[in-house]
Amino acid sequence: MHNIDIKKTAVDTLALEATAIQKLIDTIDQDFVDVTNTILHMQGRVIVTGIGKSAIIAQKMVATFNSTGTPSIFMHAADAIHGDLGIIQKNDLIIALSKSGNTPEIKVLVPFLKQTGNTLVAMVGNLNSFLAQKADYILDTSVEREACPNNLAPTTSTTAQLAMGDALAVCLQTCRQFSDRDFAKYHPGGALGKQLYLRVADLSDHNGKPFLAPEANIREVIVTITKFRLGATAVIDQGNIIGIVTDGDIRRMLEKYEDLTGLTALDIMTKSPKTINREELAVEALQHMRQNNISQLLVVENNTYQGIVHLQDLLKEGII
């Protein structure tokens, strides 16, 4: 193995790719705006196609489009000329990715795409290529060279395609005012989805509903907290929340009082406890806990006690 400065090679690679992305800024022109507006107002889907490494970037673009509100389908350029052209429908727009714009597959495919009458967008690194000349719109992803030391393996060029695809997806998302709630509809699984749709009630309804009267003695307090394993119990008087007793309140009681005889929940509870509506998002409960440095929140509905949500509930669901 030659004496290679690995750190320098990595830094040079990142710097080269960062420069290529920076230069894309100057390529954002009216064609980019027109493509965005065409997609926004069309009735069909976005078909993204490519060959080799460009096909992999095309698949990522499709995934991003679909998750941000733009219906999209991936079509491999090689498969398209062997039957997959049937994917394309009348109102679809086609984005073809290619660094050279002159690969054999692209040269065979483009004439068939033009016959369908669909709008063709070239995301291409060669503005004089066959693909660029035949396209209705051009998204210029030209790069000076690949990060590959032999200037062969697609590296900088695919990074430029990826960044341009993200720019297009974000513009479409922004124009559609695609909200976090909309995003959640497309991401129901995993921690991300849970942050966007999981409600406090989804957690607290499984926890039980520990509560005591203000006159409950210390033994009753400890037994209730232990039984429900939430580290706390609400104190309710005539249907109203007047306090909360937590594990911390029990410890402070032991430090303050030597004789526990006659002590009640009213004597040791924390008044005006923090609450949260059961319809709030679970991630909002996390924010309240962090802001107040607490582990539990009393859950309410129309100011009526409904239960407790605990920090551990959020940990189990991957919210944190």
Side-chain angles (χ1 to χ4, degrees):
M1 180 182 293
H2 298 292
N3 187 20
I4 302 296
D5 188 334
I6 294 176
K7 183 177 179 180
K8 181 179 183 303
T9 301
V11 169
D12 288 347
T13 299
L14 293 174
L16 190 62
E17 298 204 353
T19 299
I21 293 177
Q22 185 70 27
K23 288 184 177 180
L24 287 182
I25 294 173
D26 295 329
T27 73
I28 302 299
D29 56 11
Q30 190 58 43
D31 270 19
F32 185 97
V33 175
D34 290 343
V35 170
T36 303
N37 283 324
T38 300
I39 295 173
L40 285 170
H41 295 101
M42 71 184 193
Q43 299 299 313
R45 307 153 303 171
V46 175
I47 310 295
V48 191
T49 188
I51 193 79
K53 305 299 187 297
S54 293
I56 297 172
I57 301 301
Q59 287 177 293
K60 190 275 180 187
M61 285 178 57
V62 166
T64 304
F65 284 150
N66 282 328
S67 68
T68 53
T70 298
S72 184
I73 296 176
F74 169 69
M75 179 181 70
H76 197 283
D79 294 335
I81 57 178
H82 293 286
D84 280 4
L85 278 173
I87 291 173
I88 303 172
Q89 297 179 4
K90 180 180 178 181
N91 295 315
D92 294 341
L93 174 143
I94 303 159
I95 302 177
L97 279 63
S98 176
K99 177 189 176 182
S100 71
N102 289 317
T103 59
E105 293 84 0
I106 290 294
K107 283 189 172 183
V108 172
L109 176 61
V110 167
F112 288 104
L113 297 179
K114 296 300 292 183
Q115 286 179 11
T116 65
N118 296 79
T119 299
L120 175 61
V121 179
M123 186 179 290
V124 66
N126 179 0
L127 301 186
N128 297 315
S129 64
F130 179 81
L131 175 58
Q133 291 172 359
K134 298 295 183 181
D136 298 297
Y137 299 107
I138 297 174
L139 301 180
D140 183 4
T141 51
S142 302
V143 297
E144 291 183 3
R145 61 166 288 117
E146 299 289 3
C148 163
N150 298 318
N151 195 26
L152 294 174
T155 45
T156 313
S157 60
T158 47
T159 300
Q161 291 173 342
L162 186 66
M164 185 66 78
D166 284 345
L168 182 58
V170 171
C171 285
L172 292 166
Q173 179 182 3
T174 303
C175 289
R176 287 195 170 99
Q177 297 183 319
F178 194 83
S179 69
D180 56 355
R181 296 299 181 94
D182 296 320
F183 196 79
K185 296 176 184 177
Y186 297 92
H187 298 78
L192 176 61
K194 288 179 180 179
Q195 287 185 25
L196 296 170
Y197 77 83
L198 195 69
R199 299 174 306 142
V200 169
D202 297 325
L203 304 176
S204 63
D205 285 355
H206 299 288
N207 285 340
K209 192 177 173 181
F211 69 93
L212 291 166
E215 62 270 17
N217 61 43
I218 297 305
R219 182 181 184 281
E220 291 175 309
V221 171
I222 294 174
V223 168
T224 299
I225 292 177
T226 303
K227 176 183 177 182
F228 286 90
R229 298 184 179 181
L230 294 169
T233 179
V235 181
I236 306 296
D237 185 25
Q238 297 181 354
N240 298 315
I241 299 171
I242 63 169
I244 185 173
V245 180
T246 67
D247 288 335
D249 292 319
I250 298 295
R251 289 192 295 272
R252 285 185 286 274
M253 174 194 70
L254 294 174
E255 292 175 351
K256 183 177 181 180
Y257 299 99
E258 290 187 7
D259 184 6
L260 306 182
T261 305
L263 287 178
T264 66
L266 182 65
D267 297 318
I268 65 171
M269 72 181 187
T270 298
K271 298 179 181 179
S272 302
K274 303 299 181 183
T275 63
I276 189 167
N277 190 282
R278 70 192 308 272
E279 295 301 322
E280 290 284 339
L281 292 175
V283 71
E284 294 295 330
L286 174 61
Q287 295 301 321
H288 286 304
M289 290 181 191
R290 284 175 170 169
Q291 289 169 5
N292 296 284
N293 196 27
I294 55 178
S295 299
Q296 306 96 345
L297 287 169
L298 298 186
V299 180
V300 297
E301 183 178 37
N302 297 325
N303 295 320
T304 302
Y305 175 59
Q306 298 293 319
I308 293 177
V309 61
H310 194 282
L311 183 64
Q312 289 296 325
D313 299 323
L314 304 171
L315 283 169
K316 289 177 184 177
E317 293 294 337
I319 299 295
I320 300 177

